[in-house]
Amino acid sequence: MESSWPWQFVTVSNEEKIHRRELLDLRGAFAQWSVMLVIVLLRVTYQGWKSISQTNRGADQPRAPISWWNRPPKNGWLETRKQYAVCGLWLSWLTGLSVWNSGNDYLHLTKALGHVALSQIPLQVLMSPVAYISTSKPSAPSIFSFLTTVPQGTITPYHRLFGRVVISPLLFGHVILYLSFFVQSSHPDFGSLLEKRVQDLDVQCGLTALAATIALLFYVRPRGSAKKGIARAWAGGSMQDRRRTFYYGHISLVVLLCVAAYFHVAQAQKYMIQSLGAFVLNGVGSWIMVKYGN
């Protein structure tokens, strides 16, 4: 590695390896506990804002124009500048958490990026609008919406951006740094360590997870015309049919990502099990809301 780059390939003892593993677990815990803190803050602040709005709703008032902050950064985009900024701040927090206490250990930083990214997948699942294809109540709240009392329509854009702006960059950073390490490291039998590692199951699972992540970035939900975008490749059928096709395709890619991550490294398994539990909990909660909720 070049001397200007602060992280280097270093050799660590067994005791240092144990310490680094403990730091990785601590990062994952911090990342997930920060989510719990956000849920509490959102519930308190949203309830306070809602109470003030109801108090001031007495007289008819003209609706305020949409601010620059609440407009998309580009025409045709679905999410607003505020939503991008919030996800960007969360990415900054998680990146800082990955860098924290990594010293000059290149591989420790590399593992930290992937570890922190995977710790956020349960949150991504809890925010998902699982009633998306429901004909009666497609905007039924997710578990995250239920816990924070924020409407699902407000949370869904963050669910979309969270995968693109937060989780994906961290995973890409993890993969790029690891591949760079493999390319720069030699192997006595294969020449390059990359040639050896791509034949190992754990790396193959990691590359599969990467492929699923890339596919999710381009597999966007259908909007109006079915003539553009990978997710709109089907031209026939009603909008409900296209929404259903997208939903099942999206879920399949997420399952592929989670299964590949589960077999990629043992430390990812607890997060993938949490994601499965979040999916079941979110699905059951949404079904109850659709069937019995107002």
Side-chain angles (χ1 to χ4, degrees):
M1 301 296 294
E2 296 181 2
S3 58
S4 60
W5 178 253
W7 292 276
Q8 307 295 324
F9 301 158
V10 298
T11 302
V12 296
S13 65
N14 290 333
E15 292 77 11
E16 289 173 325
K17 288 180 180 179
I18 294 174
H19 178 62
R20 280 158 172 72
R21 173 51 50 200
E22 292 173 346
L23 281 176
L24 289 178
D25 292 338
L26 188 61
R27 284 186 177 88
F30 283 165
Q32 292 195 323
W33 279 109
S34 62
V35 171
M36 301 300 296
L37 178 61
V38 166
I39 289 176
V40 173
L41 291 176
L42 280 176
R43 185 177 183 91
V44 172
T45 56
Y46 185 78
Q47 287 295 322
W49 173 83
K50 187 177 180 180
S51 176
I52 294 174
S53 298
Q54 291 175 345
T55 302
N56 297 334
R57 195 180 296 172
D60 292 337
Q61 298 178 355
R63 179 174 296 181
I66 299 176
S67 67
W68 176 90
W69 195 237
N70 290 311
R71 292 178 180 174
K74 185 177 180 180
N75 290 336
W77 291 18
L78 296 178
E79 297 82 16
T80 65
R81 292 181 175 91
K82 179 175 69 175
Q83 292 160 352
Y84 274 97
V86 169
C87 290
L89 287 174
W90 196 253
L91 173 62
S92 299
W93 153 241
L94 295 180
T95 303
L97 188 59
S98 301
V99 173
W100 167 71
N101 216 8
S102 63
N104 67 334
D105 190 339
Y106 178 96
L107 286 181
H108 184 62
L109 171 66
T110 303
K111 294 175 182 178
L113 290 171
H115 196 87
V116 169
L118 294 179
S119 74
Q120 301 298 287
I121 292 182
L123 169 63
Q124 174 74 337
V125 174
L126 288 177
M127 290 194 296
S128 62
V130 288
Y132 175 72
I133 58 174
S134 170
T135 56
S136 58
K137 297 178 181 178
S139 59
S142 62
I143 294 299
F144 190 88
S145 173
F146 177 77
L147 292 175
T148 60
T149 70
V150 178
Q152 184 59 38
T154 301
I155 291 175
T156 298
Y158 289 101
H159 169 73
R160 292 195 300 265
L161 278 182
F162 200 79
R164 301 201 307 262
V165 176
V166 179
I167 295 179
S168 294
L170 293 172
L171 290 179
F172 289 156
H174 170 76
V175 172
I176 291 170
L177 290 180
Y178 244 127
L179 290 178
S180 176
F181 168 72
F182 291 154
V183 168
Q184 297 180 65
S185 302
S186 60
H187 190 278
D189 299 324
F190 294 86
S192 170
L193 183 59
L194 178 63
E195 296 182 35
K196 164 64 173 63
R197 294 294 279 125
V198 294
Q199 301 181 40
D200 297 335
L201 178 61
D202 62 327
V203 172
Q204 292 172 353
C205 287
L207 294 176
T208 300
L210 173 66
T213 302
I214 294 173
L216 284 166
L217 290 177
F218 291 96
Y219 194 76
V220 297
R221 70 188 183 97
R223 295 171 55 203
S225 172
K227 297 180 180 179
K228 298 179 180 179
I230 295 178
R232 302 178 219 174
W234 53 87
S238 64
M239 172 57 76
Q240 185 63 24
D241 291 335
R242 299 201 298 273
R243 286 163 64 96
R244 187 177 294 109
T245 301
F246 161 76
Y247 181 82
Y248 290 122
H250 182 81
I251 292 297
S252 299
L253 289 172
V254 172
V255 169
L256 176 62
L257 167 61
C258 291
V259 171
Y262 182 91
F263 290 103
H264 173 57
V265 62
Q267 288 73 27
Q269 293 177 0
K270 66 177 179 180
Y271 298 131
M272 299 306 99
I273 293 174
Q274 290 174 3
S275 299
L276 175 61
F279 178 78
V280 173
L281 181 63
N282 209 18
V284 171
S286 181
W287 178 80
I288 292 175
M289 291 294 178
V290 169
K291 191 172 182 63
Y292 301 107
N294 293 323

